[in-house]
Amino acid sequence: MTIQLLVTNKALQVLGDPLSGWTSLSCDVNFNEPASGSVTLPARPEYMELLQPGNRLVVIRDGAVWCAGPLEEPQNYSWDLQSNASPGTVRVGFSDDLARVAGYLTYPEPTKSFAAQTTTSDMVRRFPALNAEAIIRALVTENCGPGALPARRIERLVLDTVAGVGTNRTLATRFEPLLDACRTAAVSDGLGFRTRQVGDEIRFGVYAPTDLTDVARFSAGLNNLRSVSFALAAPTGTQQLVQGGNDPAQTATPANTRAYVEVSSGAAASWYRVEKLVDKTGVDNDAAGELTQAGVLELGTDNPQASLATVTVDTEDLRAGRDFWLGDRVTVELPTGLELTDLVQTIRLEATPAEGELVTSVIGAADKSTTTATVRMVRDLARRLGRLEAR
């Protein structure tokens, strides 16, 4: 195990020397979500000087960047008389650069400042039938990337090489959390997106996860299965009742015209009917499939009939980052003999100088197993409240 910790500024310039003397490190990288990590260090004056708002932490594992992003909690200092450990310790919380992208909203008119947005109607940013990857890249570049207003650009953020993935779709968005809009464009094709530090650049890219169900297998017999939790539960929604229309900017039809689309999962036949209303005010009709897409997206969270939460461990034969990555579909053999397939949601790196490193993966319903569950719940609540505020 070789782990190196560096502090950089927003321009990705390394500050000071590598951080040494750390006692524990944990880092969760997540599928289409910002990372969540922490490291505990001796509170040396030279370290405290580096651990400042606006700086970044870079975790390098075996010569390659594992995670790099902003300090979300630069200093959480502690000292007590009983241990008398001078100069005390500092716990540092950090994320990856996707957390910075997550801090933006989608402007209806991204070439204008917020104060200059159109006031006569509820404008939306509408993408015609485009490749899903192209939509995601456009969303990022015009809101926080190279094509954004100077005040909104993230330092050193560029677009990664085009992967050529995804099928054509449409998208309309207005003051929506940027990553939510990206996930909406990605969901139908199961695409992933991420940031990665390469040299002095932060590269945002889209990729297609791989079906590895035949080669990436986890079981007790293979000594790479740590824990399993499997639950069969009723869906929280079987019928997504999508309500569109009522767009003040409409000209062809009255502004108070509504459009309705029902999207069904088919689960009501086995369980019972559960209806949920999805508001897509501002989308005139379903001619481009936008209302249907909104219903499908909601079914992804409302209809988990079977939830699988599995924690695996790296072995020499099957290693995260080398043999599989976030979003890939893998196979888990339960102790009962039943085989299930699901997506890799989280890959966690834990390390101490004394015990070395442990890399585990969360497959399936990550919120049952990962320490970032509360954060995700709060982000989901913020997303829903944001939709209400933007109407």
Side-chain angles (χ1 to χ4, degrees), residues 146-347:
L149 295 172
R152 302 185 75 208
R153 291 176 193 163
I154 295 176
E155 298 85 351
R156 311 305 302 169
L157 179 65
V158 299
L159 294 182
D160 212 335
T161 305
V162 174
V165 296
T167 56
N168 281 6
R169 63 195 66 261
T170 61
L171 181 77
T173 181
R174 174 179 178 271
F175 295 127
E176 180 182 10
L178 178 53
L179 286 194
D180 285 350
C182 291
R183 281 188 284 267
T184 299
V187 65
S188 297
D189 295 312
L191 300 181
F193 48 82
R194 62 187 173 191
T195 56
R196 60 192 186 105
Q197 179 175 327
V198 180
D200 62 352
E201 294 180 333
I202 299 170
R203 298 183 183 179
F204 176 91
V206 182
Y207 67 98
T210 307
D211 187 343
L212 299 175
T213 51
D214 291 335
V215 294
R217 302 177 62 86
F218 300 90
S219 70
L222 294 173
N223 295 318
N224 60 6
L225 186 61
R226 196 175 185 185
S227 67
V228 175
S229 175
F230 177 79
L232 188 66
T236 58
T238 64
Q239 321 298 126
Q240 302 295 338
L241 309 180
V242 188
Q243 176 181 259
N246 199 33
D247 185 352
Q250 291 184 52
T251 57
T253 55
N256 60 354
T257 298
R258 280 290 188 184
Y260 300 102
V261 172
E262 180 175 342
V263 181
S264 174
S265 68
S270 300
W271 294 89
Y272 41 81
R273 186 179 179 93
V274 182
E275 299 177 342
K276 296 194 73 174
L277 182 66
V278 180
D279 183 51
K280 290 296 290 183
T281 295
V283 178
D284 297 351
N285 54 56
D286 199 39
E290 293 179 54
L291 299 181
T292 297
Q293 181 175 273
V296 171
L297 183 65
E298 291 296 325
L299 282 177
T301 56
D302 289 338
N303 195 37
Q305 297 181 65
S307 58
L308 170 68
T310 301
V311 178
T312 69
V313 63
D314 266 10
T315 65
E316 286 301 319
D317 296 327
L318 193 59
R319 293 172 60 91
R322 184 191 70 185
D323 303 308
F324 64 92
W325 188 243
L326 297 168
D328 289 344
R329 183 171 289 276
V330 299
T331 298
V332 177
E333 181 182 341
L334 304 182
T336 61
L338 179 66
E339 289 190 355
L340 298 171
T341 67
D342 215 323
L343 306 183
V344 179
Q345 297 285 357
T346 296
I347 299 176

